[in-house]
Amino acid sequence: MNFETVIGLEVHCELTTNTKMFSNAPVSFGKAPNTMINQVDMGMTGTMPVLNKAGVEYALRVCHALDMEIDELVCFDRKNYYYADLPKGFQITQDRRPIGRNGKIEINVDGKIEVIEIERLHMEEDTAKQLHFDDYSLLDYNRAGIPLIEIVTKPTIRSGKAAAAYLEKLRQIFLFTEVSDAKMEEGSMRCDVNISLRPYGSDKFGTRTEIKNLNSISNVQKAVEVEGKRQEKILLEGGSVIQNTMRYDEDKKETTIMRAKGDAVDYKYYPEPNILPIRLDPAWVKQIKNNLPEMPDKRVLRYTKELGISLVDANILVQTKQVSDFFEATIQYTKHAKFVCNWLLGEIQAYLNKENLVITETKITPEYLAKMVDFIQDATISNKQAKVVFEILMKEGKDPEIIIEEKKMKQISSPAELLVIINGVLDANEQSIEDYRNGKDRAVGFLVGQIMKASNGQANPGMTSKLLIEQLKERIS
């Protein structure tokens, strides 16, 4: 029997507001445990939550980017459960009326466009972070109360590849709407996977399991594939899949049971009594939509259609908004968009990877990158010389023109100037001319080296080779 995989994803995204969702404690990462908290975060008696307007705005940005229906009334509910990382004994969330419904994302899986339907987007507060040791656990409440949005898909994903493509596209949206840094390794973007199997042709869902605590997009894909095989084996052997919460063991490449899976009814939702419903101003909602930057898909289309950049390169350019914005700024100073793209994805990306930096942490500017590209294109400097200029540019942010002058790099591209140098070298190397006459091609390489030496490395290599061959042919004719 063949089975169809049915997948739904729940993605939590921490919002990079200045303060938490219901208190004025700062939002931070990497600070000393339990230093970024206040009485509201700790659920102390008599404290009252106050809704963070910026958190609502950030949620609306993502709603617009996902083409969602927006609820005009913001309502919150209490999700009741007792757990060590929940200081109040309940979580303020949205159950009955999420701020966004019925969105969609288009993804590309092996060249085929698929539409992933999104059921809802709701706002809530994050929980504390648990730190587990051999025989005890500690709690860091710095994370408690940080604004979250949770995005829940409909069960329309059918493969691990599609799940990964969806998450990558969603991550781009978080970055381009500037609501989060979306770093899965730091927990600011987290994904839970719901997966079940059913016979092909069946419209009835199988029993699902949930895989939690996945810390990378690649692990989501691997976990889906592994859990799918585990469920298939159970079903083919005549067994039944049990509704459990699973974890993915990256080392063993297998999923294991964490605990029995609860249902929503166990949480006993009811309206949050301390936050009254808030009606959104339609003009404010529209203003947020109008202020959104151009999204990745539209940029890719423009890069390929208007700038002649390949689809592969265009998709890499928009993986982060920082690189895409840098590209946008650079091409305002030069007409050589393709070459700017090549430098950004080649030498610059290699440098960033090596130094573990993002482009905004370097000294290079869009104007100076454009200037360097123009100098390469008009043969002021060679590609080899450009690499020297580039290193200084990244570390010091110095004007390429000044670097070229200081390093005496400016290429000699004037045929008249080059011919003077070439003929001087030929006059001093009669044996090399004779070698060339006798078919010894290495003579050309030797002569080019002598010309470069005589010009202090400033002779244009391409033009030098061309003129040298012409002069050699004249001398042996």
Side-chain angles (χ1 to χ4, degrees):
M1 181 182 294
N2 292 323
F3 296 97
E4 179 182 43
T5 307
V6 179
I7 303 163
L9 300 182
E10 300 171 8
V11 175
H12 288 86
C13 175
E14 284 185 353
L15 306 179
T16 50
T17 53
N18 292 325
T19 56
K20 295 184 178 179
M21 196 65 175
F22 302 109
S23 82
N24 62 1
V27 169
S28 63
F29 177 82
K31 300 293 184 181
N34 299 315
T35 58
M36 302 287 115
I37 57 175
N38 66 13
Q39 298 91 331
V40 175
D41 306 325
M42 299 303 294
M44 292 186 177
T45 304
T47 58
M48 295 284 284
V50 177
L51 179 59
N52 185 340
K53 182 179 179 181
V56 180
E57 179 187 338
Y58 283 21
L60 287 171
R61 289 185 196 175
V62 180
C63 284
H64 286 309
L66 297 176
D67 195 25
M68 303 190 87
E69 301 167 11
I70 295 171
D71 196 325
E72 63 179 11
L73 203 64
V74 174
C75 300
F76 287 94
D77 301 282
R78 284 191 183 182
K79 181 180 181 180
N80 294 274
Y81 64 98
Y82 181 77
Y83 206 63
D85 62 5
L86 201 62
K88 295 193 288 285
F90 62 85
Q91 181 187 36
I92 302 177
T93 183
Q94 291 185 300
D95 176 40
R96 297 165 302 126
R97 297 186 66 159
I99 192 168
R101 291 184 185 273
N102 300 325
K104 63 180 184 296
I105 283 182
E106 286 189 359
I107 61 170
N108 188 314
V109 182
D110 295 331
K112 180 183 177 184
I113 300 299
E114 297 182 17
V115 177
I116 306 301
E117 297 178 56
I118 299 170
E119 182 178 309
R120 57 185 282 143
L121 180 154
H122 64 262
M123 299 178 287
E124 59 189 20
E125 59 182 335
D126 211 343
T127 59
K129 184 177 181 180
Q130 299 181 84
L131 305 171
H132 299 295
F133 299 91
D134 289 341
D135 55 355
Y136 66 96
S137 295
L138 296 177
L139 291 167
D140 178 7
Y141 288 99
N142 284 350
R143 199 176 72 179
I146 287 180
L148 282 180
I149 53 175
E150 180 176 357
I151 299 171
V152 182
T153 71
K154 294 180 181 179
T156 54
I157 301 172
R158 293 292 178 265
S159 69
K161 272 190 177 181
Y166 165 79
L167 289 173
E168 184 57 48
K169 183 64 70 69
L170 195 59
R171 188 188 70 86
Q172 288 179 336
I173 287 173
F174 293 151
L175 294 173
F176 274 73
T177 53
E178 299 181 330
V179 303
S180 177
D181 58 19
K183 294 179 179 178
M184 291 191 77
E185 68 276 11
E186 293 181 2
S188 53
M189 177 177 167
R190 309 193 289 273
C191 179
D192 298 335
V193 177
N194 292 287
I195 175 172
S196 65
L197 265 59
R198 65 184 178 188
Y200 273 104
S202 173
D203 58 1
K204 183 180 178 182
F205 292 125
T207 302
R208 66 185 171 92
T209 59
E210 182 180 28
I211 313 171
K212 296 187 76 71
N213 302 331
L214 295 164
N215 61 2
S216 72
I217 292 175
S218 62
N219 275 351
V220 169
Q221 180 173 343
K222 293 171 188 174
V224 165
E225 292 167 354
V226 167
E227 177 61 11
K229 290 177 182 176
R230 187 189 75 88
Q231 291 189 21
E232 182 180 38
K233 185 173 184 292
I234 291 171
L235 295 172
L236 289 175
E237 291 175 352
S240 299
V241 175
I242 299 173
Q243 185 172 325
N244 286 319
T245 297
M246 315 292 291
R247 64 179 290 271
Y248 175 64
D249 189 318
E250 189 174 359
D251 294 328
K252 295 181 179 179
K253 303 291 188 293
E254 64 181 22
T255 52
T256 56
I257 297 172
M258 289 174 62
R259 59 180 180 269
K261 171 69 180 168
D263 289 312
V265 68
D266 297 332
Y267 296 124
K268 301 179 179 64
Y269 289 99
Y270 62 82
E272 168 55 54
N274 293 326
I275 304 176
L276 296 176
I278 300 168
R279 191 169 299 280
L280 296 174
D281 180 358
W284 183 60
V285 175
K286 185 177 181 180
Q287 181 186 27
I288 292 169
K289 182 177 183 179
N290 292 340
N291 289 338
L292 283 180
E294 186 180 36
M295 288 293 105
D297 283 352
K298 290 186 177 178
R299 287 196 181 190
V300 167
L301 187 63
R302 179 162 55 83
Y303 294 167
T304 55
K305 298 294 183 185
E306 297 179 14
L307 302 179
I309 293 171
S310 73
L311 181 60
V312 171
D313 286 348
N315 277 313
I316 297 173
L317 276 177
V318 300
Q319 281 185 351
T320 68
K321 188 170 185 290
Q322 289 168 323
V323 170
S324 183
D325 283 351
F326 197 94
F327 174 73
E328 292 280 338
T330 305
I331 60 175
Q332 300 305 310
Y333 297 100
T334 178
K335 62 183 180 181
H336 302 296
K338 282 187 181 180
F339 293 98
V340 171
C341 174
N342 291 343
W343 271 90
L344 276 170
L345 303 186
E347 296 289 339
I348 292 177
Q349 192 56 55
Y351 180 91
L352 297 177
N353 292 341
K354 179 184 174 184
E355 302 295 331
N356 195 26
L357 296 170
V358 296
I359 196 163
T360 51
E361 295 172 335
T362 68
K363 300 288 187 180
I364 194 169
T365 66
E367 183 179 2
Y368 285 169
L369 174 59
K371 207 168 185 178
M372 186 185 75
V373 166
D374 284 346
F375 282 144
I376 299 167
Q377 293 306 303
D378 66 14
T380 298
I381 56 175
S382 67
N383 284 314
K384 185 177 180 180
Q385 290 171 320
K387 291 183 180 181
V388 177
V389 174
F390 166 73
E391 286 288 335
I392 299 171
L393 193 55
M394 293 297 280
K395 293 175 182 176
E396 300 179 23
K398 190 179 287 187
D399 188 328
E401 190 169 0
I402 294 174
I403 298 171
I404 292 166
E405 290 295 331
E406 289 179 348
K407 297 288 184 182
K408 294 182 170 49
M409 286 182 175
K410 192 170 184 179
Q411 284 196 134
I412 301 171
S413 297
S414 163
E417 289 182 62
L418 286 173
L419 282 171
V420 171
I421 299 170
I422 290 168
N423 283 313
V425 168
L426 289 174
D427 291 343
N429 292 276
E430 292 289 343
Q431 183 59 48
S432 293
I433 298 172
E434 192 62 29
D435 288 344
Y436 181 78
R437 187 196 309 275
N438 295 327
K440 295 180 180 179
D441 291 338
R442 67 175 181 272
V444 174
F446 170 77
L447 289 168
V448 168
Q450 294 302 302
I451 295 165
M452 296 305 290
K453 185 177 179 181
S455 67
N456 295 315
Q458 291 178 270
N460 182 315
M463 191 170 291
T464 295
S465 295
K466 178 175 177 292
L467 292 172
L468 173 62
I469 297 296
E470 290 175 358
Q471 292 303 305
L472 283 170
K473 287 180 177 178
E474 280 187 19
R475 293 201 180 205
I476 65 173
S477 59

